[in-house]
């Protein structure tokens, strides 16, 4: 993922097996300021390799697709070293909890409403703002998901996993999972190495 801020353009890619759905989302995205659409395809290995090479900031991902569902596509992209922010776009709201557990940034129901789309993009932009403190200068910080950045910022403020869980209204287990994923993405073995990066 590129190192962006709230004033720069946001790159995105659409993965959905329905052509009409993709076209509608393309039309809506054209109405959102500073959005750059890199492509729009159904999910298959060739497309995922292409997306991984592009490293978009956001991937709009359908859930149910023939041959490969959205969760499998996310797993493969991560295996290819691509960690965009995922926004699920689906007609099935029962996937919301699973989407959150898979570190999706947000969840939009079909047919996507323009105002809801804009609100989601605006929320994404707010995650890119904030003080240029030491954590934001850690090599690889920009590939972390918004939730991982929240946890990292709280961790640097000397909060324990239990305290972070209480502040973010999530379980300690979830915090620990995010911590492990965060360290893996940053190429660090433990929290001690992380603190050395910001001294």
């Amino acid at each position: 993922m590129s190192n962006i801020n709230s004033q720069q353009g946001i790159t995105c890619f659409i993965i959905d097996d329905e052509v009409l759905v993709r076209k509608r989302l393309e039309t809506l995205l054209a109405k959102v300021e500073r959005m750059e659409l890199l492509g729009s395809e159904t999910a298959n290995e060739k497309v995922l390799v292409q997306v991984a090479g592009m490293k978009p900031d956001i991937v709009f991902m359908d859930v149910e697709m023939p041959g490969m569902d959205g969760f499998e596509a996310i797993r493969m992209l991560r295996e290819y070293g691509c960690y965009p922010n995922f926004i699920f776009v689906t007609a099935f709201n029962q996937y919301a909890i699973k989407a959150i557990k898979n570190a999706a940034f947000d969840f939009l129901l079909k047919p996507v409403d323009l105002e809801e789309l804009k609100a989601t993009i605006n929320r994404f932009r707010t995650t890119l703002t904030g003080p240029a403190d030491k954590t934001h200068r850690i090599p690889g910080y920009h590939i972390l998901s918004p939730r991982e950045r929240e946890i990292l910022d709280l961790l640097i403020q000397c909060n324990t996993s239990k305290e972070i869980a209480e502040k973010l209204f999530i379980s300690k287990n979830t915090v620990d999972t995010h911590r492990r994923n965060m360290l893996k993405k940053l190429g660090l073995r433990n929290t001690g190495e992380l603190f050395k990066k910001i001294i």
Side-chain angles (χ1 to χ4, degrees):
M1 191 166 81
S2 59
N3 193 2
I4 57 179
N5 61 48
S6 62
Q7 299 305 312
Q8 291 178 318
I10 293 172
T11 57
C12 63
F13 198 100
I14 300 168
I15 296 180
D16 195 304
D17 65 303
E18 297 181 63
V19 176
L20 291 179
V21 171
R22 295 203 305 264
K23 293 298 182 185
R24 173 178 169 77
L25 189 50
E26 289 171 21
T27 300
L28 294 179
L29 286 168
K31 298 176 182 179
V32 181
E33 291 184 2
R34 302 192 304 280
M35 290 294 295
E36 180 186 354
L37 180 62
L38 301 179
S40 176
E41 297 286 349
T42 191
N44 60 57
E45 190 168 354
K46 182 179 178 181
V47 167
L48 296 181
V49 170
Q50 181 183 18
V51 173
M54 292 178 175
K55 298 191 183 302
D57 303 309
I58 293 174
V59 171
F60 292 93
M61 180 74 74
D62 188 15
V63 176
E64 289 200 337
M65 295 178 285
M68 179 187 300
D69 68 19
F71 302 112
E72 174 68 7
I74 287 175
R75 185 188 66 77
M76 291 185 68
L77 281 172
R78 288 173 175 164
E79 284 185 357
Y80 295 149
C82 182
Y83 296 93
N85 290 272
F86 295 99
I87 296 176
F88 280 128
V89 183
T90 181
F92 305 98
N93 60 13
Q94 69 263 33
Y95 290 114
I97 294 175
K98 191 172 181 181
I100 293 168
K101 288 181 178 178
N102 278 271
F105 176 76
D106 210 341
F107 184 86
L108 296 172
L109 287 175
K110 297 177 181 177
V112 177
D113 176 78
L114 177 59
E115 294 309 312
E116 288 182 1
L117 176 63
K118 285 182 176 180
T120 295
I121 298 301
N122 285 338
R123 280 196 298 276
F124 176 73
R125 291 188 196 280
T126 64
T127 70
L128 308 174
T129 62
D133 57 22
K134 291 180 180 179
T135 61
H136 294 208
R137 296 196 296 272
I138 293 173
Y141 178 86
H142 63 281
I143 70 170
L144 300 180
S145 71
R147 178 62 90 189
E148 288 166 345
R149 294 177 191 177
E150 281 184 303
I151 290 172
L152 175 57
D153 290 342
L154 289 169
L155 193 61
I156 298 304
Q157 296 168 33
C158 298
N159 289 281
T160 65
S161 287
K162 184 174 183 294
E163 291 168 335
I164 293 172
E166 290 170 353
K167 289 176 188 289
L168 298 180
F169 302 102
I170 57 179
S171 71
K172 179 180 177 296
N173 243 1
T174 300
V175 173
D176 288 336
T177 298
H178 281 305
R179 285 181 64 166
R180 286 193 296 271
N181 291 339
M182 180 178 66
L183 290 172
K184 182 179 178 182
K185 288 181 186 180
L186 296 175
L188 303 174
R189 289 174 295 181
N190 52 52
T191 308
E193 290 187 355
L194 173 62
F195 278 94
K196 286 179 183 178
K197 291 282 186 181
I198 63 170
I199 292 174

